[in-house]
Amino acid sequence: GESVGLHLPTLSVQEGDNSIINCAYSNSASDYFIWYKQESGKGPQFIIDIRSNMDKRQGQRVTVLLNKTVKHLSLQIAATQPGDSAVYFCAEKQTGGFKTIFGAGTRLFVKA
Amino acid sequence: GAGVSQSPRYKVAKRGQDVALRCDPISGHVSLFWYQQALGQGPEFLTYFQNEAQLDKSGLPSDRFFAERPEGSVSTLKIQRTQQEDSAVYLCASSRARDQPQHFGDGTRLSIL
């Protein structure tokens, strides 16, 4: 069935280093992809999104890369800070559809 | 401005009781989503509203789950005859349109004893 998965369940990085969180998706009909950050006891917080007509999009300290050929999505966080410690979810959606499918999440630990 | 507000933040109920969870979306947001999040998992889609119309309820686990948004703003998720497997965090999200970024509330943590 449709699924969005992550390669690594946990990622530990040193403060100041760059982080890369990866995600694979299986539904080739998906054309809208979103990254969310979720801190303990909070709801998911939108980070950045990308549509299938793009392969790269940059925000503040974050970059999302989309490779449609291999159905792969990644989130790059530059100069990772302790405040970046959280669980990160990728999500996929079909434009015009109603359902957003979330992956299982990657927990990011930032060591000071 | 104010974000998405959910109440109560925590709800404990005995098996068999009915519960009602409330969501106040961001003012003016047309789209409203409900999700269920089990511990250590990503959110799972339950249902979608566009204004007051429930356009997709394919994710509701059973007919014990019912959602409404009668005036196109506040929404309520009701669970009848609760069971232990209903224990989860229930998240509400709203957006300007269905293909725009969703803004989430902090959820209601439901525990069924």
Side-chain angles (χ1 to χ4, degrees):
Chain A
E2 301 168 358
S3 66
V4 175
L6 295 172
H7 296 306
L8 297 173
T10 61
L11 177 64
S12 184
V13 300
Q14 199 69 37
E15 181 180 2
D17 288 351
N18 297 334
S19 302
I20 299 176
I21 301 172
N22 295 302
C23 175
Y25 65 95
S26 59
N27 185 1
S28 57
S30 294
D31 57 4
Y32 179 47
F33 304 90
I34 317 102
W35 282 100
Y36 288 94
K37 171 187 180 183
Q38 188 173 29
E39 296 175 286
S40 181
K42 301 284 189 181
Q45 176 186 359
F46 171 81
I47 301 172
I48 192 168
D49 59 0
I50 189 168
R51 300 189 189 270
S52 59
N53 61 348
M54 302 174 70
D55 53 21
K56 180 179 180 179
R57 191 164 187 226
Q58 290 184 290
Q60 187 175 14
R61 281 201 306 118
V62 294
T63 301
V64 56
L65 299 177
L66 175 62
N67 185 331
K68 295 181 287 294
T69 302
V70 295
K71 299 192 187 72
H72 184 267
L73 192 67
S74 69
L75 177 70
Q76 300 177 2
I77 305 173
T80 314
Q81 302 169 0
D84 295 327
S85 294
V87 176
Y88 289 80
F89 293 99
C90 64
E92 63 173 315
K93 192 175 181 300
Q94 293 182 46
T95 299
F98 308 120
K99 183 180 296 189
T100 302
I101 300 171
F102 283 77
T106 292
R107 182 172 295 280
L108 176 65
F109 291 102
V110 182
K111 297 176 288 187
Chain B
V4 176
S5 178
Q6 292 188 246
S7 61
R9 288 282 283 123
Y10 303 93
K11 176 70 178 177
V12 179
K14 292 182 179 179
R15 188 173 51 189
Q17 290 183 329
D18 298 347
V19 298
L21 313 180
R22 177 188 169 102
C23 173
D24 279 273
I26 293 173
S27 179
H29 277 194
V30 167
S31 297
L32 186 145
F33 305 79
W34 282 99
Y35 294 87
Q36 181 189 62
Q37 186 174 26
L39 189 64
Q41 302 289 322
E44 295 272 352
F45 171 85
L46 292 177
T47 188
Y48 168 76
F49 288 87
Q50 183 171 297
N51 296 309
E52 70 279 0
Q54 188 175 21
L55 300 185
D56 188 339
K57 53 182 181 180
S58 63
L60 296 177
S62 74
D63 58 8
R64 297 186 295 104
F65 287 70
F66 172 77
E68 60 183 4
R69 193 186 185 196
E71 297 179 358
S73 56
V74 171
S75 178
T76 303
L77 176 66
K78 298 178 180 178
I79 309 173
Q80 298 177 323
R81 304 181 304 282
T82 52
Q83 300 177 6
Q84 282 193 318
E85 60 261 32
D86 299 335
S87 295
V89 174
Y90 290 85
L91 294 164
C92 175
S94 71
S95 60
R96 294 183 185 278
R98 74 177 79 156
D99 295 323
Q100 294 296 315
Q102 295 173 33
H103 300 264
F104 282 80
D106 288 337
T108 294
R109 182 176 296 276
L110 176 64
S111 298
I112 305 300
L113 305 179

